[in-house]
Amino acid sequence: MASTKVLLLQLLLVSVISVVSASHYWGASTTFTYKGNNSDGTHKVRFRYRDTFDQCFWSLNWRCTSGNCGYVSGSKRTVIDSSNNGPQFDRLLCETETVVTRNVRSDKPFQLRADSCCWIGTRNWVIHWDVLTGVDLGKRSDTGEPNKSPDVTILPFLRIPQNCPRTYKLMTFDPDGDDVRCRYGNLRNIECSRCDRPAGFHLDEDSCTLHYISSTANPRVFGFEMMVEDYSKGHINLFYSDGSWSHRHPWPRRRSKRAVSYPTTAARPWWIPTTTPWPNTTTPWPNTTTTTTTQRPITPYAPTPPLSQLPLQFSFLVDPPAPSCVEGVYLPKLVHPTPIHGEKIHAEVDSSMEIRVKAQASLAVIQGIIISGPSNVTKHKTTHNEFVIRWTPTADDLGEFFPICFAVESATGPGVTRPPVAIHSHSHSHFHPTPTSRSGLYHSEMRCVVVEVKRKIVKSHVICDESSMTILVEKASFSRLSEDHLRLNDPSNTICNLTSNSTHVIGVVPLNQCGTQIEEDDDNLIFKNEITTYEDMRNVITRKHLLEVQFYCQYPKHGNVSQSFSVHRKNVTVWEKGMGTFTYGFEFYEDNSYRAMMNPNSYPLEVEIGTELYMKIEATSSINNTEMFVESCRAAPYDNPNYRTPYIIIANGCKVDPTVDIYPRAHNKQFLFSMEAFKFIGLHDQVYISCSVIMCEAGNPNTRCSQGCINSTSSHRLYKREAMIQSGTHFVSQGPLRLKRSAENSDTSAVALNLNLVFIAGCVLAAVGMICGVIMYKTKASKVKYQPLPASEPS
């Protein structure tokens, strides 16, 4: 019997230790939105609970503790972001958002609470979590609607080197324009567990600004238990359906930044539960006195209760000191096109909005991005070390505001290599990886933006197929604009003309023409274009209207290249006002005699590194007195002239690749050249060659054709383009070329385009395609360069 008791005691002890050591909570936040009345007269309130744990299946369990909280009519949980870059003992973290709809019968104040155990390892000994949400659905006298809570978001995990002071502006946007205050929780076991104010930090409650000043490094985090509250900027009343009302007034501003204590001579405020001890006094709390609608509100003299109360809890890690606190060295520095903190971005229902984030760190490697935002927000890293945050709002999000916060991570140490540094020789740019000298993970500053969801202005949808995008725009959605003044990015090619029927404007856009832009991340290729308005005034394009319909198609990179994208490229026909019609042909030949053209059925061509490639571009024109000039040629792994990091072959009419040879031409509408076959280091085993060409009036010294090669040391003057003298720039391409290797793996083609397995992502209006929202941040091309591999390189 004694041994049984000992065994039970041991099992109980193990159980207790397991519970205590099962630390998995990182933080949480809550917002809510009044969504109107249901048919049965109840009030619909939507709560957004963001919880962060060490696994993605955990979430808080909320319960009603005061007032009439109604009942849950719907709930949906999604993963927002996850990371394994946490502190030493708790590396995994996963943030989810649970969207819960409650139907509430009363518009009187009510409270929801959640509590349990345990936080991850904290240095300020926060063990249990206690969170509180206070809601008041009384109709405001200034807006005529129930109060909207502040839109609160923070990254659930922040880190900083101990020697690098930093300021964090918390995202607390209020849709009603109220003043928002942030404070540490002070009601133990209700708003907070320990109600601790971590040492080494200063919180400006009025501006919701957290200042990290100094602390010591520790593998455990500080657990922050804060509350966010909103207060009206003027005196307002809240009216309830039972005929009662209450008064609210602004929070009293004081010179001291210390928190204002509640008077001990007041009656219990509504947001303090009845289970909490409160002084038994006879002095009424003037701000919560409810009266009938015939009474006048009492003039307030004490701090007013908040319109709503929201929890804001997160973890903060202080790392060992960094070698430098200067942003852009070890700590990532956010640069253009990253939006500024607090920027308001407009999005449309069922249209994808896009936020572009870029950071730099000269002695560290930009590793990733951490985000917090609404359900279904996604993040992507492009091959140019930029990050794209995308989100598509639904009709249910109309009229709401959604904050999105982000920070970029950089890393140093063993196994981490800095980006290659270009060392220029006479003819090549050699790249040498530079090892880093110190181990560490660093965060950039945290920035947050607010996305306002509006109605869709232009109704349209996209169909994505193997080699083109078809865009259909409803005429009724832009009835005041002339469809004759709509154009794609580059309408110079005749196939880029928009057509129309009785209901839609239609554009069939090739993936490699009409100004289509190409972007890629690790998994997908994204082709983008847009329809804009213009007015043609003597060849000067001016945009007179606000219509900009951006659209894209997204395709997975893995799989076999589709036949439609790999076949021989056909001739390009261009019509230009004042210059007539041109047809350009771009072909490969067997040798420098240019007599035997490569069979179009043999594409994609397979060549070995170092093999001489012979190419000819030839134009035919409806106007006899013309000449052709090849201004630039470049190679890219995809057949798109707008690929952002191509290999430059010819630039400004000058040879750039040292293996280029230019041959005499039979007439002035020809260009014959050759170069050695090469490959993009680290990219695909196939390339496309594209060139930009111009047609000019033959013999006219005032044209670009007459200038020839223009390098940095040439003295030249720019010529204004005039009608009947020279054309615009046109693009021709040919390929693909596949490079042979002696030990070629049969799976190498698996990294090429798969346009048979069409995957469409973005803004949904049709099951097969989508339209991107008007708001998209533009980016500059990355300056990554490539070099040809020598023919003697081992396979």
Side-chain angles (χ1 to χ4, degrees):
M1 182 68 178
S3 61
T4 303
K5 289 183 178 180
V6 171
L7 178 60
L8 290 175
L9 183 60
Q10 290 176 339
L11 291 174
L12 179 61
L13 181 60
V14 169
S15 177
V16 171
I17 293 174
S18 299
V19 170
V20 173
S21 63
S23 304
H24 54 281
Y25 175 78
W26 290 77
S29 65
T30 300
T31 60
F32 65 85
T33 306
Y34 176 74
K35 301 296 289 184
N37 290 336
N38 297 305
S39 57
D40 61 357
T42 57
H43 306 281
K44 180 187 290 187
V45 185
R46 180 152 300 148
F47 292 85
R48 294 183 179 271
Y49 302 119
R50 290 182 187 165
D51 314 324
T52 304
F53 291 88
D54 63 355
Q55 300 292 335
C56 294
F57 52 79
W58 295 104
S59 61
L60 297 182
N61 184 22
W62 291 86
R63 68 185 189 279
C64 184
T65 58
S66 176
N68 185 342
C69 304
Y71 61 93
V72 174
S73 61
S75 178
K76 182 179 181 181
R77 185 163 62 94
T78 57
V79 174
I80 297 175
D81 196 13
S82 61
S83 172
N84 59 358
N85 285 338
Q88 178 179 350
F89 302 116
D90 303 276
R91 292 196 176 277
L92 298 177
L93 64 153
C94 179
E95 184 179 30
T96 62
E97 180 178 73
T98 304
V99 181
V100 174
T101 301
R102 281 185 173 269
N103 295 337
V104 185
R105 296 195 177 279
S106 171
D107 53 6
K108 285 295 190 70
F110 63 89
Q111 288 181 338
L112 295 164
R113 285 181 54 197
D115 52 65
S116 188
C117 183
C118 300
W119 275 75
I120 63 168
T122 62
R123 58 191 297 181
N124 55 336
W125 300 106
V126 182
I127 299 177
H128 295 80
W129 69 78
D130 294 271
V131 288
L132 168 72
T133 299
V135 182
D136 191 331
L137 298 180
K139 186 175 294 186
R140 297 172 57 131
S141 59
D142 56 345
T143 65
E145 297 179 352
N147 181 62
K148 299 181 178 69
S149 80
D151 291 307
V152 178
T153 297
I154 194 172
L155 296 176
F157 172 59
L158 301 171
R159 70 191 313 156
I160 193 71
Q162 71 174 56
N163 59 325
C164 300
R166 175 171 278 175
T167 296
Y168 296 86
K169 178 67 176 176
L170 308 183
M171 172 49 70
T172 51
F173 174 82
D174 192 274
D176 292 321
D178 296 326
D179 286 328
V180 180
R181 302 185 77 255
C182 302
R183 61 174 175 84
Y184 290 108
N186 54 30
L187 297 177
R188 196 161 187 171
N189 298 325
I190 298 176
E191 297 177 341
C192 45
S193 174
R194 281 200 74 238
C195 304
D196 180 63
R197 301 186 176 206
F201 296 84
H202 170 69
L203 175 63
D204 186 331
E205 298 186 354
D206 289 336
S207 64
C208 287
T209 303
L210 180 66
H211 303 275
Y212 166 71
I213 302 171
S214 66
S215 185
T216 57
N218 194 304
R220 295 175 299 165
V221 302
F222 285 106
F224 277 79
E225 304 172 290
M226 297 170 58
M227 296 295 297
V228 178
E229 301 167 331
D230 54 334
Y231 298 86
S232 60
K233 290 185 175 179
H235 292 266
I236 66 170
N237 295 325
L238 299 180
F239 298 99
Y240 303 100
S241 56
D242 64 359
S244 63
W245 55 273
S246 63
H247 184 76
R248 297 290 188 273
H249 64 80
W251 179 266
R253 297 288 181 178
R254 299 191 178 189
R255 293 184 180 180
S256 172
K257 296 298 182 181
R258 292 175 299 176
V260 180
S261 301
Y262 298 117
T264 58
T265 57
R268 181 191 306 276
W270 64 264
W271 69 96
I272 305 298
T274 56
T275 56
T276 302
W278 191 256
N280 185 15
T281 68
T282 57
T283 305
W285 181 268
N287 311 304
T288 56
T289 302
T290 58
T291 66
T292 64
T293 55
T294 59
Q295 291 179 307
R296 296 174 60 85
I298 299 174
T299 302
Y301 294 99
T304 187
L307 293 163
S308 57
Q309 286 188 298
L310 306 173
L312 185 64
Q313 299 189 354
F314 55 95
S315 300
F316 199 111
L317 178 68
V318 179
D319 282 316
S324 171
C325 292
V326 177
E327 290 188 342
V329 182
Y330 290 93
L331 279 65
K333 179 181 180 181
L334 299 177
V335 297
H336 178 80
T338 309
I340 63 174
H341 180 82
E343 184 168 336
K344 184 181 290 186
I345 298 174
H346 298 286
E348 295 182 356
V349 171
D350 293 329
S351 296
S352 176
M353 57 80 57
E354 192 172 273
I355 300 171
R356 292 189 169 271
V357 179
K358 187 174 183 179
Q360 60 188 25
S362 59
L363 296 181
V365 174
I366 301 299
Q367 188 175 58
I369 187 172
I370 52 177
I371 63 172
S372 181
S375 296
N376 301 316
V377 66
T378 62
K379 63 180 183 181
H380 311 271
K381 184 178 182 180
T382 72
T383 54
H384 312 293
N385 275 330
E386 294 180 0
F387 300 95
V388 181
I389 302 172
R390 294 191 181 100
W391 181 57
T392 303
T394 65
D396 209 33
D397 301 323
L398 180 64
E400 294 187 39
F401 297 84
F402 297 88
I404 297 176
C405 295
F406 54 86
V408 173
E409 293 179 312
S410 64
T412 61
V416 178
T417 302
R418 291 219 310 272
V421 178
I423 303 177
H424 297 281
S425 64
H426 290 86
S427 59
H428 296 83
S429 294
H430 302 285
F431 287 78
H432 301 276
T434 306
T436 54
S437 60
R438 180 182 176 86
S439 176
L441 285 171
Y442 305 100
H443 280 188
S444 71
E445 63 174 300
M446 180 185 70
R447 290 190 188 179
C448 303
V449 298
V450 178
V451 181
E452 181 182 7
V453 180
K454 296 186 174 183
R455 296 185 184 277
K456 177 173 284 296
I457 300 174
V458 178
K459 296 181 179 180
S460 49
H461 67 273
V462 172
I463 301 172
C464 304
D465 61 30
E466 294 179 347
S467 59
S468 66
M469 304 178 286
T470 301
I471 170 76
L472 299 98
V473 184
E474 292 186 16
K475 290 183 176 180
S477 62
F478 60 97
S479 57
R480 291 182 292 179
L481 299 178
S482 171
E483 63 183 85
D484 296 331
H485 288 175
L486 299 180
R487 53 167 281 174
L488 294 166
N489 271 343
D490 179 10
S492 60
N493 194 319
T494 53
I495 65 173
C496 301
N497 294 335
L498 298 173
T499 61
S500 66
N501 56 28
S502 60
T503 58
H504 290 82
V505 171
I506 305 168
V508 180
V509 186
L511 297 181
N512 63 337
Q513 297 187 54
C514 309
T516 300
Q517 303 292 318
I518 184 173
E519 179 182 295
E520 62 176 327
D521 56 31
D522 291 339
D523 301 314
N524 301 296
L525 288 176
I526 303 169
F527 296 86
K528 299 180 178 180
N529 210 311
E530 67 176 349
I531 294 177
T532 59
T533 58
Y534 78 100
E535 182 176 357
D536 191 348
M537 300 172 59
R538 297 178 61 86
N539 293 324
V540 177
I541 303 301
T542 59
R543 295 182 180 180
K544 297 183 62 177
H545 306 289
L546 298 178
L547 178 65
E548 291 188 13
V549 181
Q550 299 185 355
F551 57 96
Y552 72 87
C553 284
Q554 178 171 302
Y555 304 90
K557 294 165 70 172
H558 300 282
N560 296 323
V561 179
S562 72
Q563 181 66 20
S564 65
F565 206 71
S566 299
V567 296
H568 171 267
R569 323 316 277 164
K570 296 180 180 180
N571 291 348
V572 175
T573 300
V574 176
W575 178 87
E576 191 165 316
K577 184 177 180 181
M579 293 295 292
T581 300
F582 311 103
T583 299
Y584 298 101
F586 189 167
E587 299 293 347
F588 284 86
Y589 286 78
E590 294 182 358
D591 53 43
N592 60 3
S593 67
Y594 289 94
R595 293 194 183 106
M597 186 180 77
M598 293 292 188
N599 187 342
N601 295 324
S602 64
Y603 285 77
L605 302 177
E606 291 193 351
V607 296
E608 295 181 352
I609 292 177
T611 300
E612 199 74 14
L613 305 174
Y614 299 95
M615 294 161 278
K616 179 173 76 172
I617 301 174
E618 187 167 8
T620 59
S621 172
S622 60
I623 300 178
N624 293 326
N625 188 31
T626 54
E627 61 179 328
M628 184 186 72
F629 176 69
V630 175
E631 188 173 41
S632 67
C633 288
R634 52 197 214 163
Y638 311 115
D639 184 18
N640 186 292
N642 297 309
Y643 185 74
R644 293 171 53 193
T645 54
Y647 178 79
I648 304 300
I649 301 169
I650 297 173
N652 298 317
C654 307
K655 295 187 294 183
V656 176
D657 183 277
T659 68
V660 169
D661 287 318
I662 299 176
Y663 298 92
R665 56 185 181 178
H667 54 81
N668 59 6
K669 296 186 183 68
Q670 272 187 353
F671 183 72
L672 289 71
F673 68 110
S674 68
M675 68 177 296
E676 291 182 5
F678 62 100
K679 129 167 216 178
F680 282 117
I681 299 175
L683 291 180
H684 309 290
D685 280 335
Q686 65 177 29
V687 294
Y688 298 81
I689 310 295
S690 64
C691 296
S692 61
V693 296
I694 298 173
M695 295 296 292
C696 305
E697 180 182 353
N700 191 323
N702 297 318
T703 65
R704 176 67 185 91
C705 299
S706 67
Q707 291 179 283
C709 169
I710 300 176
N711 55 41
S712 58
T713 59
S714 300
S715 60
H716 64 279
R717 57 193 179 96
L718 297 176
Y719 296 105
K720 179 180 178 182
R721 178 187 166 193
E722 299 177 10
M724 299 298 294
I725 291 182
Q726 73 180 47
S727 71
T729 301
H730 307 134
F731 294 94
V732 292
S733 65
Q734 194 54 270
L737 307 175
R738 288 185 177 174
L739 302 183
K740 295 180 181 178
R741 303 192 75 140
S742 58
E744 186 173 25
N745 190 315
S746 60
D747 291 335
T748 55
S749 62
V751 297
L753 273 175
N754 177 7
L755 300 182
N756 286 321
L757 301 176
V758 177
F759 174 77
I760 302 160
C763 324
V764 178
L765 256 188
V768 293
M770 71 261 32
I771 288 292
C772 271
V774 172
I775 303 300
M776 298 182 76
Y777 287 91
K778 305 298 181 184
T779 61
K780 293 183 179 179
S782 173
K783 298 302 182 183
V784 177
K785 297 182 182 298
Y786 302 92
Q787 70 178 58
L789 287 177
S792 59
E793 184 194 48
S795 299

